[in-house]
Amino acid sequence: MTETPLVKKKHRGIPEALFLNDVDAYMVKESSSEAALQKLDEQFQKYRFMESNLLNKKIRLSTQIPDIKATLSSINFLKNKKVNEKEPLKTQFMLSDQLFVHAKVPTTDKVCLWLGANVMLEYNIDEADELLKKNLSAAESQLLELDNDLDYLRDQITTTEVSMARIYNWDVKRRQKLKTSS
């Protein structure tokens, strides 16, 4: 069995596509151009699948970051309110879609944060602020990593497409030579 045109892994385990400099030398190892193209097409499909997953993660993170920032802003507002005033905060909050309720929120030093998976925990305001800043920093760095990985993955997709085209062109030339020599 022949080796796939992959050499090493980078960026979250994404395999690096091998650029075929010498198609003739590579095709000596392969049984046929169809088999070589099939291997490259399988790798291409894997790259597309990885790209789809990374894009979904990026979309999820891109929606989480504004939510974290909004919550952090609310925490900072409550922090300032606690220090400056003792009167309850008059506000509106969403009870359900399109339904808002007036409320008076007493000055407090505790907040509840949704952590996910139907879990809510109570924190004091300083702990909540620290946790949200840490989560925001982590989400922003993950978003940068995802962007780098997507760039790397797009390069691998392009390299695979070029390799597929080179093998296809090699096969066309080979068939033309066989046709003219017959």
Side-chain angles (χ1 to χ4, degrees):
M1 192 156 140
T2 58
E3 296 177 19
T4 56
L6 303 172
V7 284
K8 57 184 174 179
K9 294 187 176 207
K10 290 183 180 179
H11 296 275
R12 294 184 195 237
I14 299 169
E16 182 179 12
L18 179 68
F19 179 75
L20 299 178
N21 285 322
D22 188 359
V23 179
D24 290 324
Y26 178 75
M27 290 309 293
V28 168
K29 302 175 194 173
E30 292 295 325
S31 58
S32 69
S33 59
E34 290 82 17
L37 284 171
Q38 183 179 0
K39 284 182 189 176
L40 287 171
D41 187 53
E42 287 173 7
Q43 192 63 38
F44 178 77
Q45 296 305 322
K46 289 176 186 176
Y47 286 141
R48 286 292 185 193
F49 178 74
M50 289 180 223
E51 181 183 39
S52 173
N53 285 339
L54 290 178
L55 285 171
N56 287 337
K57 285 180 184 179
K58 183 177 178 178
I59 290 168
R60 191 182 77 244
L61 273 175
S62 296
T63 58
Q64 281 179 349
I65 289 173
D67 290 343
I68 294 171
K69 286 180 178 178
T71 305
L72 197 53
S73 174
S74 297
I75 295 292
N76 287 330
F77 179 79
L78 287 175
K79 237 189 208 183
N80 292 337
K81 178 80 171 157
K82 180 179 86 169
V83 171
N84 295 334
E85 300 175 22
K86 296 296 179 193
E87 282 186 32
L89 171 68
K90 294 178 184 175
T91 186
Q92 291 183 349
F93 67 94
M94 187 169 63
L95 192 56
S96 66
D97 291 338
Q98 307 288 327
L99 181 61
F100 290 83
V101 177
H102 292 280
K104 290 182 182 179
V105 179
T107 303
T108 182
D109 61 346
K110 303 256 187 223
V111 294
C112 294
L113 297 177
W114 282 107
L115 300 180
N118 293 327
V119 175
M120 178 185 272
L121 287 179
E122 183 179 66
Y123 291 93
N124 72 38
I125 290 180
D126 293 328
E127 288 175 339
D129 185 51
E130 183 180 319
L131 176 69
L132 289 169
K133 285 179 181 175
K134 186 178 95 179
N135 289 352
L136 179 62
S137 174
E140 287 173 339
S141 68
Q142 284 177 359
L143 192 59
L144 283 174
E145 284 179 32
L146 278 171
D147 283 337
N148 289 335
D149 288 343
L150 280 166
D151 289 342
Y152 176 77
L153 191 54
R154 288 183 188 113
D155 288 344
Q156 301 319 299
I157 288 170
T158 302
T159 301
T160 303
E161 288 173 329
V162 168
S163 294
M164 290 169 70
R166 294 189 78 191
I167 290 174
Y168 181 81
N169 291 339
W170 176 88
D171 191 43
V172 168
K173 287 179 184 177
R174 181 186 62 87
R175 289 178 192 208
Q176 285 175 346
K177 281 181 186 177
L178 287 173
K179 197 173 189 179
T180 58
S181 65
S182 298

